[in-house]
Structures are given as structure tokens and as C-alpha cells.
Amino acid sequence: MARKKKISLSRIVFYFLLISYSVITLGPFIWSIITSLKPTSEVNNFTVNFSTLSFDNYIFLWKKFPFARWAFNSLIVASIVTLGNLLFNSMAGYALARIDFPGRKALYLAILAMMMVPGQVVMVPTFILLTKLGWINTYKGLTIPFLFSLFGIFLMRQFFLSIPKSVEEAATIDGLSRFGIFFRIVMPMAKPALSTQFILMFTGNWNSFLWPSLLATRDNMYTLPVGLNSFYGQYFQFWDQVLAGVMILSVPAIVIFLIFQRNFIKGISTTGMKG
Amino acid sequence: MAVKISRAKKNSIKKNKIRDMIDGWLFVLPFVGLALIFFVGPLLVAFMLSFKEYSFLDSVTMWQAKWVGFNNYINAFKDPTFKKALINTTIYSIGVVPVQLVIALALAIVVDSNIKGKTFFRTAYYIPTITSTVAVAVMFLFIFKTDGLLNKILVFFGLQPYNWFNSIHLALPSIMIMAVWSSVGLYMVIFLAGLQDIPTSLYEAASIDGASKWQKLIHVTLPMLKPTIFFNLVVSLIGTFQVFDQAYVVSKGNGGPLDSTMTVVLYLYRTGFREFKMGYASAIAFILFVIIFVLTLIQKKLFGEENRM
Amino acid sequence: MRKLISLVLVLALIGAILAGCGTSKEPQNQETSQKAKKEETVTITLGGWASSPAETDLLDAQIKEFEKTHPNIKIEKQVITGDYLQQMQARIASKTEPDVYYLDVSQAPTFIEKGVILPLDEYLDKEDLKDFEPNLLKGFQKDGKTYGLPKDYNTLALFYNKDMFEKAGVKVPTTWKELEEAAKALTKDGVKGIVLSNDAARFIPFIYQAGGKVLENGEIVFNSNEAAKGLDFYYSLIKKGYADTPQNLGVGWNGDALAQKKAAMCIEGGWMIPFMKDAGPDVNYGIAKLPKGEKEGDLAFTVAYVMSRNTKHKEAAAEVIKFLTGKKAQQMTADSGLAIPTRISMGEVYTKKYPERKPLVEMVQYSKVFQFGTKGPKILDALNKAGEKLQLGQETDAKKVLEEAANSLK
């Protein structure tokens, strides 16, 4: 009975809007997939000639370049950086939101301020520093400087602000230390926030190009975006090949999103009930 | 007796304070250590450069480069291209920030509710964020070109086609549309996580009071979402004021036609890395920094962020 | 599921740390063991930007050939991805740039003035230098010293659709007047006679052809009447409707317009040849010299190998530069047809093998290199804006926009 009622005009309009917007967001993506399957001479046609579609571009990329090595590098770098960020950003964000320590306000302002400096001006000084450390073309250089993120800390602080204090207070009475509270109580409660951070950090790092392209000077240390760029040449002329590369980059990021978006379940209420 | 207790209490408060101080700094230590080495150091160097005449090609080191006092800053305020870039960036920010946040919030509320195909919609709306900026720009060049998809749609509906990227009036709005399209997913995901943090008990209480869906949104969701809204607002503002990639790709790095897509960071990049005036570029960066900082402080006041914690 | 993911991540982390230790030590070990074995073997790093797979193969083959004849010198190729100039500045500032690297002629004045690259004279044979196209070599010389040897080059020429020309019964234009007439006759059925981009690197040849100049003794002189005449002619073709910009034709660049048969002519360089093979295999096109105005005039784009001021092995680096611009390497370039060799002797090999491309080589004698001093980026920016004003119809007077451009540079 109740179900029948729901299929009203407003419901149809609502779904129509939702689907229209998803066409807008997915359209370019689908178009890219199709183009990546086309031969170069047909890239500019809007029609799709199914008989000429092929995986040639992908096979070409796979055969011609050490893809497995680059994908491995990308996975290693993105994983280490993401894990470091999950831990360090959450710790710092938690302290800024919950612990009343001297210098907290100044630190918070400093984080906001540092986010506002255009990366282009600190790029070369940072690069010189990493050169002096001898970290060029090493995994150390590709990961350690990126183990924290100002954006991530700020994000975690805002999330921790909105988590009720009552649970922590109860834990304090139980005699748990700060670290105990943080790892046993707060982190499990922050599942939606953590999975969001995971998605953002992993996909961001997976796609990042500027730093890896500076730091990986030999092709054995290339990450996927750098490797793909190493044969585009100065002019983007062969859209089909370029877009095949883009697809290879996008798919793992989408998989990560699909896995982690499941954790957008009501974090607090369910934990509270289960606990 | 009474005196003893209060002394004990005082002691324990004092102890707690010390404990908080140690814990607090221990928690932020990994970040502070890494940031001091890899961010603050280079930042101070960049700040020093803003008072010097220097290019990375120079044979003298940064420390030996010639000091020019406030000249770089003074020159920036006299520079018509910088002014134009600042105006463009401001227009861009005013246009993009509210639109992208409102769409993102609406989408987040929708994909958080009990609709069919939730996972599909979430993924569909997030996909533009995953795709790298350069790839997005490349796709948009195709869609916005004169015989591209957008114009074909316009013609289909009997409207006039435009030359989007080659018009001094439309080039900037085109980039703005591109920015909204590609970043809405990011803010949606953050809003989504913020929505999860709102205890269901609050909605249940509101239902008992007989609140409508709309009333729940105004009286429960939005107030509880305040920290997340503040976060998105600040990040979106910083991001839009630092816009670079889209403008760079669309105008092939020169901010054209006729500087209509010249943004502050694009100009900074041009002066620093193409015209080899890194001192001047650094000064531009710090002027931009001050502008964003002031705007953020205003937002912070408006949101009453001070009183939280 | 979540446990599985975390397990995978932990394993990845451990693997990475182990792998990280391995790779970071590897090169050091190699170096020390090599040093112990052979004291005289040196490795020269060679930096260049990313290019097409075919060009990459050519360079790899040249390197192989070099290592065969020079057993004591190894070449390690480094592809600089992303923004070449930006990346190179980071590398130069940290003194980690390659020993030998590509340098575009437009950047040469700045690199020479800043002392980033070393003069090569002490390693060069004066007689052999005469084999290089003098117009190109000049781009890398200052005060009688040579700072780089050009490896290949391109000039601008007229690429035209033979079928369209035949249909319209038009002859290949050799003068401005004929160009305009041809463009007019070819503009029909939604096709423009010629595609002209808002780009100083395309209209400067017309300024030269009209007798104008951009720079003279380091001074800006593009606000002359002659220069205005050249600019005016270029944009008059658009105004009269015989030409249009690639953007207005809905393509990415001039080459696309020819490949997609949206224009019958375009002004581009030798990079069109491999492009057309892939993007417009069914277009029957020809190459002709640029039509002349008052006189002949053209731009040449060239890239040289230069030596870093920070190199530790100057002699070996010079050997690399000399070999890669030498007769053997350039013969390989000529045979591949990917670029035009900069040696006069090898240019003949090239034109013999690819007679239809002769116009590209012929134009070099009328060419100036694409280089406008240390203020080059600003000058080109100002000229581009001048062109945009005419094309967008904001101004109609070429002389006026050039005056404004000159004033903005003061």
C-alpha cells in the first residue's frame, strides 16, 4: 500500500533529475572510454563505429612500456602515503579538536595559513632540500615528505568536533589513557571520516603527477601518471592513446572508491548500539 | 580537611593540564616534525626570495642573491596584468564556491537518503573528482569546441552555438563550469561523511516532535553539519583562489584570449618559471596568501569557530 | 573484506620498505663496483622531453650507436616529463640537471646570459662547424662562442590539400596575392581556404615577408609600418572570410583542420608529416614554400644539445654532443624522416630520400630562428595579444595594436 503511494509525479521528477546529473558526470567518462578504443583517424567523429573499436591502444601501452613496474610503484607509494596520512592526520586532527594543550589555537591557524601558500613557490626549495638529503629517485623521497596533509588534518579536526564527547568521558572514567581512548574508542567511531580520508588520500596520491615527475628521474621509479606522460610528447596529438592512459589511471581509483564508500554507514549510532 | 581536598583537586587539575600538554604535543608531533622540515623550511626560503631579485638559473645561490626590499611587492601593485589576474580570480571564486557547495550538499543529502541505486549515484557523482585535472580539461576542450557536444545540444534546442574558449566573455565562465563539474564530487563525499556523524537519535526526537523533512533539514541537519560546512567553505575558497590547472590547459599557459583566463597562480607561474623572475613570483604568492588569509579569518568569525572546542 | 584490505596494505607496506632499501642502494653499489673495475668509464646523463614512440626509438638507436664506438662512455637517458622548463629550473637550482640536455632555441639567450650552459668551442672543429646551417647555429652563439649544436629543425611551410586544389582549379600560391585568391576560391562547402591561428609563431613570417622585424640590436621594432602590413594581411584573410582560426573551426590546432578537411591550407612545420599519417590518412596533401610578400621570410624552430655548467665530465659530455649532432647520427635522423638534419650535407640526404619535403629545407635560408632575446616570452605574449585584438574585432588597425604592444613592453 505504502509503496504504491510513493510512485508519484514528484518522485519521477526527482529520479529524472538524479539520472540527468549522472549523465552529465558520467558522459565525459564514457566518451573517454569509447575514444580510447577508437583508432586515431576516427577520434574526432561523434559516431561510434563498433567494427573499428579495439583494445589496440591498451595493448600498445602494455607492450611498449614497463607498465607492471609503474603500477607497482604507484601502488606502493599511494599505499604508504595513505596509511601515513590516516594515522598522522587523525592524531593531529584529534588533538586539535579535543585536547586542550598550549599552542593549539596557534597551530590550527598555522595549518590554515600553510594551506594558502601556492605550491609553485615552495616547490623548488623543497626539491633542493630533497636533493641534499639524497632522496631523488627513491621511495623515501616519494613518500616521507607526503605522509601528512594539511587538508587531511583540517578535515579530521572538523569531523572530531562533531563527535559527541560523552563516549570519551566515559572511557576516561574507566581509566583509559589518551592513546587508549584514541585508538580503541575514537578511531572506530570515526569510520565514515576515516573512509572518506582514505578515498581522498588514495585517489589524490594515485593521480598526483607534479611531485612524482620531479622526484622520479629514472623510469624504474616512475609512477603511472609519470610513465604515461613520458610518451605523450609535447603535443597531445593522439587522443586515443592519451585517453587509454587516462582510463588505466582512473579504474583503480574508482575501485577504491567503490570499496570504501560502503563504509558510509551511520558511524556513531551503530557503534554506540553495538558497543 | 576541606583545604586538603581543594589542594588535591588543584593538584589533579594541574596534573591534568600537564598531561594534556604532553598528550597534545605527542599527538601532533609526527605532523609538526614533518611539516617543519618539508614545508616550513622551504616556505621561509620562498618568503626570503620575495625580497630578492632571483631566478633559479642564476649562478649565485638564493642566499647570495641581491636584496631589493619591498620592490617586488610595490611592482606587483603597479602591474596591470596582476590586477587583471586578481579580478579574474575573484570573479572565478565568487562564481564557483557557492554553486559547487550548494550542489554538493544537495547531492550528499540525496545519496544519503534511502533512494534506489545509491551506490551507482555516489560513484557517478564522484567520478569527475577521480579523473585527473588535465584529463578533465582535455575532455572539456572537446565538449566546448565550436562543433563540440555542447554546441550540438544548444543547436538541437534551437539555441545559438558559441565559441566558448575563444571568447573574452565566455572563456572564464567555461573554466568555472569545468571547475564546478569536476570538484562537486569531492565536496559531496565530505558532506556525506559529515552527515553520517549526525546521531540518528536527533532525527528521531525531531520526528516525535512532528517535524517535517524540511524542518529537520533546517533545524537538525544544517546546524549539526556546521563544522563540515565550514571546512568545505574554507577549502573551496582556498582552492578557487589558487586555480591553475584548468586555466593553464585551456589557454595553453598564456591566460588568453586577452588575459581573460589569467589567474593569479597562472601569472605567478608565468613570471617565475617562464620569465625567470622568482622573487617577483614569490611576492605575488604572498600577496595572494594575505588575501586568502583575511577572507578565511572573516569566515571563521562568521561561523563562530572560535567558540567551539 | 576490510581485514583483507588492511592485510594487503600491510604487505604492500612491508614490500615497499624492503624494495625501497634495495633500489636506493642499487645504483651506489653499481657505481662503486664499476669504479673499482674501470676507472675511466663515465656515465653521461642526457635529458630531453617526452616525445613520440618513433622519435624515442630514433634517439635510443643513436645512443646505442654511440656506446658501440665509445666503450668508455655510457649514456643514461632521462625523460623530463611534465613542464620541461619548470622541471629543468628545479634541477638546475639543485645542481642535479643532466650533463647534456635539449634546449629550445627560444630559451638559448637566457640560458647563455645566466651562464647555465658552457661554451663548447674548445672541443669543436671549426671546419666541421661550417657544415651546420648558419641560420640555425647562430641561435646558439653569442660573442663568437658556440653554446650548443642544433640537432634538428623545422621551418614553416604551406601544407595544402591537393584534391581540393584540383577541384577548385587553383595553382599552389607563391605570392600573397595568389594566396588570397587561392584562399578565396577554396572557401566553399563549409571549408575555409586556410586556417590561421592567433599565434605570433605563425604570423611573424608575414611580418618578415613584408620587410618588418621584431627585434633589431635587442630593441623592439615590430611597431613599424612594414610589420603592420604583414600583420594586417594575415588577419585580413580572416576578416574577408577566406580563413579562420582553429578554435572557430572547432579543432585543436591548425594541423587538425587540414586532417579533418575543414581547411584547404595550413601553415605548419615538419611535425605535420607523422601527424597526418595517423590523423588524416585519407588526405592527399602537398608541401609548398610559404608564399612571399615583399620578400621571402620564415621562422625556423630548432633544438640543440647543450652542456650543463655543473657537469663533472666535460670532455665526455662534449663527445656525446658532437656524436649526436654528427654525421652518423644525423644520417639516422635523415633516414627516419622524423626531423630535418641541421647539417647541410645531411640535408641533401634528407631531400633526396623525401623529395616532396624539399620546401621545408629550402625555406631555411630565408628563416630567422624563433628567438627574441631574454625578454622573448613577454614579447611573444604582447604580439599574441595584438593578434587576438584584431581577430576578435576589438581593433581593426594593425599599426595601432602593434604600437600598444610595444608600449606595454616599455
Side-chain angles (χ1 to χ4, degrees):
Chain A
M1 276 296 280
R3 281 208 149 202
K4 260 190 183 168
K5 239 187 191 171
K6 273 186 182 164
I7 309 170
S8 60
L9 185 69
S10 66
R11 199 107 191 127
I12 292 167
V13 172
F14 174 73
Y15 273 98
F16 176 75
L17 285 176
L18 279 188
I19 291 166
S20 311
Y21 191 72
S22 66
V23 169
I24 293 174
T25 57
L26 283 180
F29 191 77
I30 291 166
W31 173 83
S32 306
I33 297 178
I34 295 170
T35 307
S36 74
L37 298 173
K38 283 182 178 179
T40 309
S41 53
E42 284 183 30
V43 163
N44 290 297
N45 301 348
F46 271 93
T47 50
V48 182
N49 182 354
F50 283 97
S51 62
T52 60
L53 295 189
S54 73
F55 283 97
D56 284 355
N57 288 320
Y58 292 87
I59 295 165
F60 170 79
L61 292 178
W62 185 264
K63 277 198 183 148
K64 187 91 190 174
F65 305 97
F67 245 83
R69 172 83 204 198
W70 296 344
F72 175 76
N73 288 342
S74 269
L75 184 70
I76 297 294
V77 171
S79 304
I80 297 176
V81 170
T82 308
L83 288 185
N85 271 285
L86 277 187
L87 183 63
F88 296 155
N89 294 350
S90 306
M91 282 168 65
Y94 176 72
L96 289 170
R98 279 292 199 267
I99 306 174
D100 190 17
F101 63 97
R104 178 176 69 165
K105 275 190 183 164
L107 199 59
Y108 170 55
L109 267 185
I111 288 169
L112 284 184
M114 284 191 282
M115 289 172 73
M116 297 164 194
V117 181
Q120 282 85 348
V121 289
V122 283
M123 185 187 100
V124 177
T126 313
F127 184 76
I128 295 173
L129 175 73
L130 293 173
T131 314
K132 293 215 163 121
L133 290 172
W135 286 9
I136 306 304
N137 214 47
T138 63
Y139 285 114
K140 272 186 278 181
L142 285 166
T143 52
I144 295 176
F146 311 101
L147 289 178
F148 74 97
S149 139
L150 300 164
F151 169 88
I153 294 171
F154 183 27
L155 179 74
M156 290 316 283
R157 173 191 181 265
Q158 298 307 100
F159 280 139
F160 287 130
L161 279 183
S162 55
I163 288 179
K165 274 185 185 160
S166 49
V167 192
E168 288 165 65
E169 277 158 8
T172 319
I173 294 163
D174 288 349
L176 269 180
S177 72
R178 275 283 181 196
F179 282 88
I181 296 174
F182 177 72
F183 285 108
R184 291 209 210 144
I185 314 276
V186 176
M187 288 292 262
M189 271 191 353
K191 250 181 7 190
L194 288 174
S195 42
T196 310
Q197 217 198 155
F198 193 98
I199 290 170
L200 297 179
M201 294 299 153
F202 191 91
T203 53
N205 203 270
W206 181 261
N207 281 330
S208 94
F209 172 72
L210 182 69
W211 275 107
S213 70
L214 269 167
L215 292 171
T217 51
R218 298 184 174 87
D219 65 0
N220 65 339
M221 289 304 287
Y222 283 176
T223 57
L224 273 180
V226 182
L228 288 170
N229 260 285
S230 69
F231 66 87
Y232 286 168
Q234 281 198 301
Y235 303 96
F236 283 9
Q237 288 182 345
F238 305 116
W239 299 97
D240 49 337
Q241 286 171 14
V242 173
L243 289 170
V246 168
M247 280 306 125
I248 291 170
L249 264 182
S250 305
V251 170
I254 292 169
V255 171
I256 288 285
F257 178 80
L258 278 173
I259 293 171
F260 281 85
Q261 64 87 31
R262 277 162 180 258
N263 278 327
F264 288 136
I265 40 167
K266 291 278 174 206
I268 295 156
S269 49
T270 47
T271 330
M273 267 193 271
K274 273 182 203 159
Chain B
M1 256 316 245
V3 178
K4 245 187 184 172
I5 287 170
S6 81
R7 187 178 283 169
K9 236 185 190 169
K10 253 188 199 163
N11 270 342
S12 90
I13 288 171
K14 216 179 181 182
K15 247 189 197 162
N16 272 341
K17 266 202 165 162
I18 295 170
R19 192 68 241 169
D20 274 353
M21 186 176 92
I22 296 169
D23 283 345
W25 281 101
L26 276 180
F27 268 85
V28 296
L29 188 67
F31 149 66
V32 171
L34 286 169
L36 278 180
I37 301 169
F38 296 111
F39 200 95
V40 177
L43 184 65
L44 292 176
V45 172
F47 189 60
M48 175 187 80
L49 286 183
S50 74
F51 299 99
K52 289 191 167 217
E53 195 183 297
Y54 181 71
S55 100
F56 290 127
L57 299 180
D58 287 347
S59 46
V60 297
T61 66
M62 298 179 186
W63 318 101
Q64 296 162 331
K66 197 174 114 197
W67 291 95
V68 293
F70 282 93
N71 276 1
N72 288 329
Y73 290 89
I74 296 165
N75 288 339
F77 284 109
K78 286 186 199 154
D79 184 340
T81 316
F82 176 63
K83 271 183 215 158
K84 175 83 181 153
L86 205 53
I87 292 168
N88 285 341
T89 309
T90 311
I91 294 171
Y92 176 89
S93 185
I94 292 173
V96 171
V97 173
V99 175
Q100 81 184 161
L101 292 190
V102 168
I103 297 178
L105 182 58
L107 291 180
I109 291 172
V110 167
V111 298
D112 187 42
S113 65
N114 267 325
I115 57 156
K116 288 207 175 102
K118 224 192 281 192
T119 309
F120 167 76
F121 287 118
R122 279 180 186 172
T123 316
Y125 299 160
Y126 187 66
I127 272 181
T129 311
I130 293 175
T131 319
S132 73
T133 323
V134 176
V136 169
V138 164
M139 280 184 229
F140 266 72
L141 281 172
F142 257 79
I143 291 163
F144 278 83
K145 65 184 194 174
T146 29
D147 60 350
L149 198 59
L150 184 66
N151 277 342
K152 287 202 168 145
I153 293 170
L154 287 179
V155 171
F156 180 79
F157 286 105
L159 297 165
Q160 192 198 337
Y162 292 100
N163 190 346
W164 296 89
F165 287 134
N166 194 36
S167 147
I168 37 173
H169 301 297
L170 292 174
L172 191 63
S174 305
I175 298 180
M176 288 160 72
I177 294 172
M178 204 161 106
V180 170
W181 178 87
S182 61
S183 57
V184 156
L186 169 74
Y187 298 105
M188 177 196 79
V189 166
I190 295 168
F191 274 132
L192 202 50
L195 288 172
Q196 304 303 313
D197 278 348
I198 302 172
T200 29
S201 54
L202 288 179
Y203 289 109
E204 282 155 13
S207 296
I208 293 165
D209 291 346
S212 69
K213 270 190 181 170
W214 185 251
Q215 282 171 320
K216 277 189 213 165
L217 174 71
I218 299 293
H219 296 293
V220 181
T221 310
L222 289 183
M224 289 302 290
L225 213 51
K226 228 170 150 187
T228 317
I229 297 175
F230 176 72
F231 174 85
N232 276 347
L233 198 59
V234 170
V235 170
S236 170
L237 190 93
I238 295 175
T240 50
F241 265 92
Q242 293 185 355
V243 55
F244 172 75
D245 289 355
Q246 285 103 343
Y248 178 83
V249 177
V250 166
S251 71
K252 298 199 171 87
N254 60 30
L258 294 177
D259 285 339
S260 58
T261 57
M262 181 63 85
T263 68
V264 175
V265 178
L266 182 57
Y267 188 56
L268 177 164
Y269 158 83
R270 281 188 64 90
T271 51
F273 290 103
R274 293 260 187 100
E275 293 168 23
F276 309 104
K277 292 192 284 189
M278 208 57 216
Y280 188 58
S282 301
I284 290 173
F286 285 98
I287 295 171
L288 182 67
F289 165 81
V290 170
I291 293 169
I292 309 176
F293 195 68
V294 169
L295 290 174
T296 306
L297 287 184
I298 294 170
Q299 285 179 329
K300 204 163 161 277
K301 273 260 146 59
L302 289 177
F303 266 74
E305 268 280 310
E306 244 88 329
N307 313 329
R308 302 195 68 98
M309 308 205 271
Chain C
M1 189 66 194
R2 281 190 53 230
K3 273 193 182 154
L4 187 70
I5 291 164
S6 44
L7 186 70
V8 168
L9 287 176
V10 169
L11 283 179
L13 186 71
I14 294 166
I17 291 166
L18 292 176
C21 296
T23 33
S24 61
K25 273 176 194 158
E26 212 174 284
Q28 287 166 3
N29 283 345
Q30 262 178 11
E31 255 167 54
T32 45
S33 65
Q34 270 174 3
K35 257 181 200 164
K37 266 188 220 158
K38 267 189 189 175
E39 216 48 298
E40 66 271 25
T41 301
V42 292
T43 301
I44 296 297
T45 46
L46 175 69
W49 45 76
S51 52
S52 69
E55 282 171 80
T56 309
D57 289 345
L58 170 65
L59 180 59
D60 287 343
Q62 288 171 334
I63 291 173
K64 222 181 209 171
E65 194 61 38
F66 175 85
E67 288 180 338
K68 228 193 272 168
T69 47
H70 299 72
N72 294 337
I73 306 172
K74 279 198 123 22
I75 296 181
E76 188 203 300
K77 196 181 71 172
Q78 294 187 352
V79 180
I80 313 284
T81 52
D83 187 318
Y84 188 75
L85 204 50
Q86 188 180 23
Q87 302 260 9
M88 282 308 287
Q89 284 180 69
R91 302 279 292 268
I92 288 167
S94 59
K95 300 191 168 61
T96 56
E97 75 268 34
D99 299 308
V100 174
Y101 55 90
Y102 290 2
L103 184 68
D104 190 85
V105 69
S106 61
Q107 299 299 341
T110 311
F111 276 59
I112 292 171
E113 193 199 74
K114 298 273 184 193
V116 181
I117 49 178
L118 296 176
L120 304 171
D121 300 80
E122 52 184 300
Y123 312 101
L124 298 178
D125 173 3
K126 282 254 157 67
E127 276 307 304
D128 182 57
L129 222 47
K130 286 182 186 154
D131 193 26
F132 286 91
E133 283 289 350
N135 276 353
L136 304 174
L137 198 57
K138 238 185 276 166
F140 300 96
Q141 289 175 323
K142 197 191 173 190
D143 303 331
K145 284 184 187 155
T146 305
Y147 289 83
L149 294 182
K151 68 182 183 86
D152 51 28
Y153 76 98
N154 258 300
T155 56
L156 295 174
L158 191 72
F159 287 73
Y160 63 95
N161 185 319
K162 282 184 179 167
D163 297 340
M164 288 184 187
F165 268 64
E166 212 166 282
K167 239 190 199 168
V170 196
K171 266 203 274 172
V172 178
T174 56
T175 63
W176 280 12
K177 205 174 149 229
E178 286 174 21
L179 176 67
E180 185 172 338
E181 282 164 4
K184 188 179 174 186
L186 289 158
T187 303
K188 56 182 178 190
D189 312 327
V191 173
K192 288 283 176 186
I194 183 166
V195 55
L196 297 173
S197 55
N198 268 332
D199 187 354
R202 297 293 173 274
F203 63 65
I204 287 175
F206 287 82
I207 290 178
Y208 292 160
Q209 288 159 12
K213 280 179 179 155
V214 175
L215 281 180
E216 192 160 39
N217 302 325
E219 296 291 314
I220 284 162
V221 292
F222 62 64
N223 48 350
S224 65
N225 288 329
E226 291 83 15
K229 211 176 136 198
L231 189 66
D232 186 60
F233 175 70
Y234 189 87
Y235 281 101
S236 73
L237 293 175
I238 295 181
K239 238 176 281 168
K240 287 176 185 163
Y242 314 148
D244 217 333
T245 61
Q247 286 96 336
N248 283 340
L249 293 174
V251 294
W253 63 294
N254 289 339
D256 273 336
L258 197 72
Q260 295 173 38
K261 299 176 191 162
K262 292 189 172 177
M265 294 181 272
C266 80
I267 294 170
E268 284 293 335
W271 48 82
M272 283 291 285
I273 297 161
F275 172 75
M276 290 300 282
K277 215 169 109 192
D278 276 308
D282 55 334
V283 177
N284 178 18
Y285 71 93
I287 308 171
K289 285 169 64 182
L290 283 191
K292 69 184 229 196
E294 297 291 316
K295 55 184 206 176
E296 307 254 21
D298 200 356
L299 280 173
F301 304 87
T302 179
V303 172
Y305 285 111
V306 296
M307 190 200 293
S308 149
R309 69 171 167 221
N310 293 317
T311 180
K312 290 201 180 80
H313 313 288
K314 286 185 197 169
E315 307 252 333
E319 278 305 310
V320 172
I321 296 175
K322 280 195 309 198
F323 182 87
L324 291 177
T325 56
K327 285 191 175 155
K328 176 81 196 153
Q330 294 220 353
Q331 170 106 46
M332 294 165 85
T333 308
D335 286 339
S336 77
L338 291 168
I340 308 169
T342 50
R343 285 176 176 269
I344 298 163
S345 56
M346 291 300 132
E348 284 160 16
V349 175
Y350 180 83
T351 46
K352 220 174 248 168
K353 189 156 184 195
Y354 304 99
E356 74 284 358
R357 302 183 192 172
K358 212 172 171 191
L360 288 165
V361 180
E362 282 174 340
M363 285 311 285
V364 71
Q365 54 182 313
Y366 309 116
S367 294
K368 289 195 173 87
V369 284
F370 187 65
Q371 180 188 78
F372 305 98
T374 52
K375 283 200 173 131
K378 278 221 125 125
I379 292 171
L380 288 172
D381 201 32
L383 282 173
N384 281 333
K385 274 183 202 164
E388 278 169 352
K389 280 182 195 164
L390 292 176
Q391 191 255 320
L392 294 166
Q394 286 204 336
E395 292 286 350
T396 49
D397 185 358
K399 173 86 171 137
K400 195 179 158 201
V401 293
L402 287 175
E403 286 290 356
E404 283 171 5
N407 283 333
S408 75
L409 291 168
K410 268 174 195 160

